[in-house]
Amino acid sequence: MDLLQNKIINKYNKLKEFNDNQNSLLHNLYVSVVSVIKDELKQKYNNFIKTYEGKKVYYISMEFLPGKQLESNLINLGIEKEVEDVIYKYGYTLEDLYNYDIDPKLGSGGLGRLGACFLEGACDTNIDITGYSLLYKNGLFKQEIKNFVQIEKNVDWYKKGNVLLSEECEDIYDVHFYGNVVTNRMNDKDIYFHKNHQSVKAKRCDLYISGKESVRSLRLWKCLDDRNLCNNLYPNDDTYEGKVLRLKQQYFLCSSSIQNIISEYLENIKDIKKIDKHIRIHLNDTHPALCIPEFIRILVDFYGIDFKKSLKMTKNIFSYTNHTILKEALERWPVQMIENLLPRIYIIIEQICKELKSTLIKDNYYINMAYLSSECCHIVNGVSKLHSSIIGETIFKNNDCVNVTNGISFNRWFYKINNELVNLIEGLGIDIKFNEEKLKEFEKYKNNDDVLMKLKEIKYNNKKRLSKMLQEKYGITINVNSVFDVQIKRFHEYKRQLLNVMKIIYLICLLEKGEKVFPQTYIFSGKASGTYKEAKEVIELIVNISEYLKNSNFKEMLNIVFIPDYDVEIAEALIPASDISEQISLAGKEASGTGNMKFMANGAVTLGTYDGANVEISNLVGEENIVIFGMNSLEAASLSKGYNPMCYINDEKVKMVLDRLDKGFNGKSFNNIRGYLETNDRFMCLPDFNSYLEAYYKIYNLYQNEKIWYKMSIVNISNSYYFSSKRALKEYDEKIWNCLHD
Ligand code: 26V
């Protein structure tokens, strides 16, 4: 018995003394294994930071979606076998443990997953990057479908999930809200005192993330006093109180992170005046933008550095990524709200505005957080070439703006989830393990019939695995001999799940007329924000059509499945089994997308618009290996100016779909959605509909010819290496952080 196994058993025996019943056996084993892993990871983390000599990067984000960690941790630490042997003695397998593992759902979508992909990727680079976020008690809501509609449920993930965190750290900070500021003039300088404030305590809890080489840390702030403050991720901001709560959360994250960053710096290097030579702080979108005035506050109020110098240092240190140009997603806080909740911070924002002659405070009415961020950071970046060029020409035309196209963690989205594919490629003598750049060499097999047929077999096996999982977990039956056509992402009008559904309804009309279609399964999964009526209605439509088809004569040919409660684990199961990746946002609206990259790496072919990173996928694989349709971003922007959906409703195919919506499915009319399309259609499904149908026929024809199809698949897999988060991090370093240079 080796040391590690002894540690697990000792821990287990201790837990057993307190909690000894059959139900808790697996739980106790899990807790024992996790706590031993935490120690190992911490050790590895400390080894890394001891030898690091470059600048430290702090990546601040309101969300992180790391997914389950246990399996990758065991693999990365090389201790799978030892752990398997220990738990086998108690009658359990690794799979039991992996199923029991807890997913910290501290994010809602692409933004949080991107942060996690960066931390995972960074473990195998030489960049020291630390994540900061909040320890939400409930995390993202659980989605249930009741009576065909989405219901949101709170789940207390922390109750179980606390075992994943290292809480022994002594870092606790006070964060101040409300009160008033008193100014004294001393030695020709204004000195500010924030009085009568309310104070809440933030405690640091670490979640270690591992890669093959090394470990990075995600620091989550736990609120010790105000139970309500970190209960939920993105509390409903329909009401005034809801908005204040969101703002409080943001400042809580910013203040505790900045205090921690500065004290960590001072522990190592004593001179505060040189801090801008040694650290970089990166804002993941504008949610943590209050870090800027908070940093200035500490330099000015605690270290007596003058305001102008503090602002200059801030600018050297900070950088900001923009992730959307959708107006309703660009944050603006009412002046009066910030002034009241954060009086000292407001004074600093006013000073910044004056100093930079900025318009970041508009009409003394609200504060534009994108301007605050861009004007106080030395650089802004967008997340795909198209998105960066759009922001550089529009909202940030006066700023230094660069592009760093997003990336994904291949450890998770390739090596971990598609074993057979990895084995096939390695079997060809290409040493791709943890070196995704080598994937490019796989392209030379695109005309090798044996390899093409092996690829087909792997896809089929992945489909069988998925279908078994869907049957066991959800009671859903799918036809493994059909095309798997998949759209998984948040439900949002701009992502146009509705356009996909319009196509499915069109196919239903053909079937009802007695025509035949090629066997196809549509898989949807994703959550809509609880207050987002239009998005929830589309989910309701999908679930009703699914029920209708299940009870129809066409179920062998056409099937639509909605998998509830989309999360990282569902994506990991679906992506390797997918044939077609639906990326059909209105051109110009999806900043990048990262799901598109994950599908590509696993051999699915993209059916998409010329939007976000789809453009770059297209450039990498060539036009013949992707199916693009619809307006481009310029055409879309120009049409949207005087857009009138009524011009399209008499189109024969559009009309067929609109009438069928009226008639309804599963006993429910969807004339509400018909009305929406006819009078609103904010993201222009109708103008792109015919082009989308043509693209559908094109891609399904390509699928009929398996040699052509799997050749396309190989070209996609081989060129996906570009989207590695390691490449993205390297570019961040070269263009923005400069970690390894002065
Ligand atoms: C937020 C909201 C909130 C209010 C309602 C409308 C709305 C629409 C979009 C958003 C997104 C906020 C930022 C975000 O998550 N952007 C996503 O970032 C990903 C990582 O860069 C990127 O791949 C996605 O394209 C982008 O949508």
Side-chain angles (χ1 to χ4, degrees):
M1 185 75 45
D2 76 0
L3 195 63
L4 187 114
Q5 291 176 326
N6 270 332
K7 280 189 193 162
I8 295 174
I9 292 168
N10 286 343
K11 177 87 191 165
Y12 176 79
N13 287 335
K14 270 197 200 134
L15 286 172
K16 214 171 119 208
E17 280 174 29
F18 296 104
N19 194 355
D20 188 13
N21 62 50
Q22 198 53 34
N23 279 346
S24 58
L25 210 155
L26 181 60
H27 178 77
N28 289 347
L29 267 178
Y30 175 74
V31 174
S32 314
V33 170
V34 167
S35 73
V36 170
I37 287 177
K38 276 193 298 197
D39 292 345
E40 299 287 312
L41 294 178
K42 191 172 179 181
Q43 177 96 49
K44 246 178 132 170
Y45 176 71
N46 287 334
N47 290 344
F48 167 72
I49 52 171
K50 247 188 261 156
T51 56
Y52 185 76
E53 289 186 336
K55 295 189 190 86
K56 278 174 166 294
V57 178
Y58 297 97
Y59 192 89
I60 310 191
S61 179
M62 278 300 274
E63 33 175 309
F64 271 97
L65 265 180
K68 289 186 171 185
Q69 302 291 311
L70 183 62
E71 185 175 354
S72 23
N73 284 339
L74 292 185
I75 295 171
N76 292 330
L77 291 169
I79 55 173
E80 257 187 315
K81 184 82 182 77
E82 279 117 307
V83 173
E84 187 174 23
D85 289 348
V86 176
I87 58 172
Y88 184 73
K89 294 200 175 71
Y90 297 93
Y92 286 101
T93 63
L94 281 179
E95 201 167 321
D96 296 326
L97 223 49
Y98 296 158
N99 285 334
Y100 193 79
D101 193 15
I102 297 151
D103 178 359
K105 296 184 181 178
L106 305 175
S108 70
L111 184 81
R113 187 51 233 173
L114 184 76
C117 278
F118 283 170
L119 286 185
E120 277 180 32
C123 295
D124 295 320
T125 69
N126 49 10
I127 302 172
D128 178 5
I129 171 167
T130 303
Y132 280 105
S133 196
L134 291 184
L135 183 56
Y136 304 100
K137 177 168 164 280
N138 288 316
L140 188 61
F141 67 85
K142 178 171 162 47
Q143 177 194 54
E144 286 180 7
I145 303 294
K146 284 249 163 74
N147 298 325
F148 306 98
V149 293
Q150 169 183 298
I151 310 278
E152 305 86 38
K153 289 257 167 78
N154 273 339
V155 196
D156 184 345
W157 86 272
Y158 180 70
K159 211 157 108 192
K160 258 172 91 185
N162 67 75
V163 306
L164 303 172
L165 305 167
S166 302
E167 297 199 25
E168 77 277 16
C169 157
E170 295 299 309
D171 290 336
I172 296 180
Y173 300 98
D174 285 318
V175 178
H176 297 163
F177 297 110
Y178 300 107
N180 56 296
V181 174
V182 177
T183 317
N184 277 349
R185 206 156 168 88
M186 283 199 286
N187 304 333
D188 258 4
K189 246 184 173 179
D190 282 330
I191 312 281
Y192 298 88
F193 297 95
H194 186 186
K195 301 224 159 154
N196 305 314
H197 50 252
Q198 293 174 14
S199 178
V200 287
K201 287 201 183 319
K203 178 167 194 234
R204 198 184 113 189
C205 303
D206 294 343
L207 179 73
Y208 292 108
I209 307 278
S210 67
K212 188 175 167 280
E213 294 296 327
S214 171
V215 172
R216 296 293 180 274
S217 144
L218 171 57
R219 298 174 178 174
L220 302 168
W221 295 107
K222 180 173 164 183
C223 184
L224 296 183
D225 322 270
D226 180 351
R227 288 189 166 271
N228 197 19
L229 184 58
C230 291
N231 261 355
N232 288 306
L233 168 71
Y234 296 135
N236 186 350
D237 65 349
D238 277 2
T239 61
Y240 184 84
E241 291 71 32
K243 283 195 180 62
V244 173
L245 185 57
R246 262 201 207 191
L247 185 61
K248 261 185 152 176
Q249 285 191 342
Q250 294 190 352
Y251 183 65
F252 183 70
L253 168 65
C254 295
S255 180
S256 41
S257 305
I258 295 296
Q259 292 184 60
N260 189 226
I261 291 168
I262 294 180
S263 76
E264 184 164 86
Y265 168 78
L266 289 173
E267 257 171 45
N268 300 314
I269 305 164
K270 306 277 177 277
D271 187 356
I272 190 74
K273 293 212 173 72
K274 290 198 177 132
I275 191 168
D276 54 340
K277 306 260 174 312
H278 296 278
I279 68 162
R280 291 293 173 256
I281 299 176
H282 197 87
L283 305 177
N284 194 27
D285 216 312
T286 58
H287 317 128
L290 291 172
C291 284
I292 292 167
E294 178 65 4
F295 190 74
I296 296 177
R297 181 183 75 87
I298 295 183
L299 293 191
V300 172
D301 293 1
F302 282 83
Y303 297 101
I305 301 178
D306 78 57
F307 173 78
K308 277 191 188 173
K309 172 99 177 72
S310 301
L311 180 58
K312 196 160 171 255
M313 286 162 79
T314 302
K315 205 160 178 163
N316 290 339
I317 289 175
F318 278 78
S319 48
Y320 148 63
T321 303
N322 171 279
H323 295 268
T324 183
I325 53 154
L326 279 185
K327 265 220 168 71
E328 63 268 42
L330 291 171
E331 289 190 297
R332 299 181 317 179
W333 289 107
V335 160
Q336 165 272 331
M337 196 182 276
I338 297 211
E339 211 177 353
N340 186 36
L341 184 71
L342 309 165
R344 176 67 184 118
I345 291 299
Y346 181 67
I347 293 172
I348 293 170
I349 296 176
E350 268 187 327
Q351 286 175 322
I352 294 173
C353 193
K354 205 165 136 206
E355 176 68 24
L356 301 178
K357 299 183 183 57
S358 163
T359 53
L360 72 94
I361 303 180
K362 183 97 169 85
D363 304 331
N364 205 19
Y365 180 59
Y366 62 77
I367 299 168
N368 183 320
M369 304 308 270
Y371 291 170
L372 174 65
S373 307
S374 61
E375 292 174 17
C376 298
C377 287
H378 65 281
I379 218 156
V380 180
N381 79 287
V383 289
S384 71
K385 281 186 185 149
L386 176 65
H387 169 68
S388 298
S389 77
I390 294 175
I391 61 174
E393 285 160 14
T394 55
I395 40 176
F396 302 128
K397 51 176 178 287
N398 302 323
N399 303 102
D400 283 333
C401 214
V402 297
N403 174 56
V404 182
T405 299
N406 281 167
I408 57 169
S409 155
F410 271 68
N411 285 5
R412 179 170 297 266
W413 297 109
F414 183 68
Y415 299 112
K416 174 170 176 262
I417 63 175
N418 212 333
N419 262 319
E420 283 192 48
L421 180 57
V422 174
N423 290 340
L424 168 70
I425 301 173
E426 285 199 307
L428 297 169
I430 309 171
D431 185 16
I432 51 161
K433 211 60 191 263
F434 307 114
N435 184 8
E436 47 268 23
E437 284 203 3
K438 286 269 171 69
L439 272 173
K440 184 71 185 161
E441 290 176 26
F442 185 40
E443 193 166 351
K444 61 175 181 265
Y445 291 90
K446 68 182 181 190
N447 294 315
N448 180 322
D449 288 355
D450 285 348
V451 174
L452 293 177
M453 287 311 103
K454 285 213 181 94
L455 200 56
K456 178 183 169 190
E457 193 185 318
I458 290 169
K459 189 58 87 181
Y460 184 69
N461 292 341
N462 288 342
K463 286 176 166 184
K464 279 201 297 202
R465 259 190 292 277
L466 173 68
S467 133
K468 187 164 167 274
M469 186 276 264
L470 292 180
Q471 187 63 254
E472 286 171 4
K473 229 170 140 179
Y474 305 94
I476 294 173
T477 310
I478 52 175
N479 173 6
V480 287
N481 294 310
S482 62
V483 184
F484 284 14
D485 189 319
V486 182
Q487 190 172 16
I488 46 176
K489 47 183 85 248
R490 288 289 287 200
F491 272 77
H492 198 292
E493 288 163 278
Y494 85 81
K495 295 182 187 281
R496 298 200 298 191
Q497 281 93 352
L498 182 54
L499 179 62
N500 194 351
V501 179
M502 285 178 68
K503 171 190 70 188
I504 296 166
I505 295 177
Y506 177 76
L507 296 173
I508 292 176
C509 293
L510 297 186
L511 288 165
E512 287 173 342
K513 277 193 204 158
E515 292 182 29
K516 289 212 157 31
V517 302
F518 194 76
Q520 48 202 289
T521 298
Y522 287 91
I523 303 177
F524 290 89
S525 195
K527 297 177 183 181
S529 153
T531 52
Y532 196 165
K533 181 168 150 284
E534 291 83 358
K536 288 174 96 170
E537 283 175 356
V538 174
I539 294 180
E540 188 180 1
L541 173 61
I542 292 173
V543 180
N544 275 286
I545 298 182
S546 170
E547 187 66 17
Y548 165 76
L549 284 172
K550 220 164 48 187
N551 301 316
S552 75
N553 299 326
F554 329 123
K555 59 172 175 281
E556 286 307 310
M557 279 179 283
L558 189 60
N559 197 349
I560 148 175
V561 168
F562 184 87
I563 304 174
D565 205 34
Y566 180 58
D567 61 6
V568 172
E569 199 176 10
I570 292 176
E572 288 178 18
L574 278 174
I575 290 170
S578 303
D579 298 304
I580 294 175
S581 155
E582 299 265 0
Q583 308 298 339
I584 60 176
S585 49
L586 175 63
K589 301 296 179 193
E590 187 70 271
S592 159
T594 45
N596 45 3
M597 303 167 185
K598 297 165 195 166
F599 280 102
M600 176 195 190
N602 286 277
V605 176
T606 306
L607 170 54
T609 47
Y610 227 58
D611 201 12
N614 296 352
V615 177
E616 284 155 80
I617 296 181
S618 171
N619 291 340
L620 281 161
V621 299
E623 275 174 13
E624 65 284 13
N625 295 302
I626 185 168
V627 178
I628 297 285
F629 71 94
M631 294 174 275
N632 65 29
S633 60
L634 293 176
E635 291 163 341
S638 140
L639 182 64
S640 74
K641 286 189 184 115
Y643 178 57
N644 180 0
M646 284 300 192
C647 302
Y648 298 86
I649 60 171
N650 289 321
D651 172 275
E652 189 196 338
K653 293 180 181 126
V654 168
K655 192 166 182 337
M656 212 155 113
V657 171
L658 292 175
D659 288 344
R660 191 65 189 79
L661 276 166
D662 235 0
K663 190 170 157 216
F665 300 91
N666 193 35
K668 179 169 172 30
S669 167
F670 285 92
N671 52 10
N672 54 337
I673 294 182
R674 175 187 196 145
Y676 167 83
L677 286 169
E678 284 178 344
T679 60
N680 185 351
D681 192 23
R682 219 155 60 95
F683 294 94
M684 301 195 288
C685 292
L686 302 190
D688 273 347
F689 185 57
N690 275 286
S691 168
Y692 184 43
L693 281 184
E694 279 165 32
Y696 157 82
Y697 282 113
K698 182 174 170 194
I699 202 164
Y700 275 74
N701 277 329
L702 289 166
Y703 188 84
Q704 312 300 311
N705 186 327
E706 54 188 30
K707 279 200 184 147
I708 293 184
W709 185 261
Y710 289 101
K711 182 175 167 183
M712 291 170 78
S713 183
I714 287 194
V715 177
N716 273 276
I717 297 166
S718 319
N719 287 286
S720 68
Y721 72 90
Y722 175 76
F723 295 112
S724 166
S725 57
K726 290 190 249 170
R727 186 270 314 149
L729 286 162
K730 224 168 105 200
E731 276 188 46
Y732 271 99
D733 188 29
E734 283 163 8
K735 297 180 182 171
I736 300 174
W737 303 325
N738 262 296
C739 289
L740 304 171
H741 303 96
D742 285 336

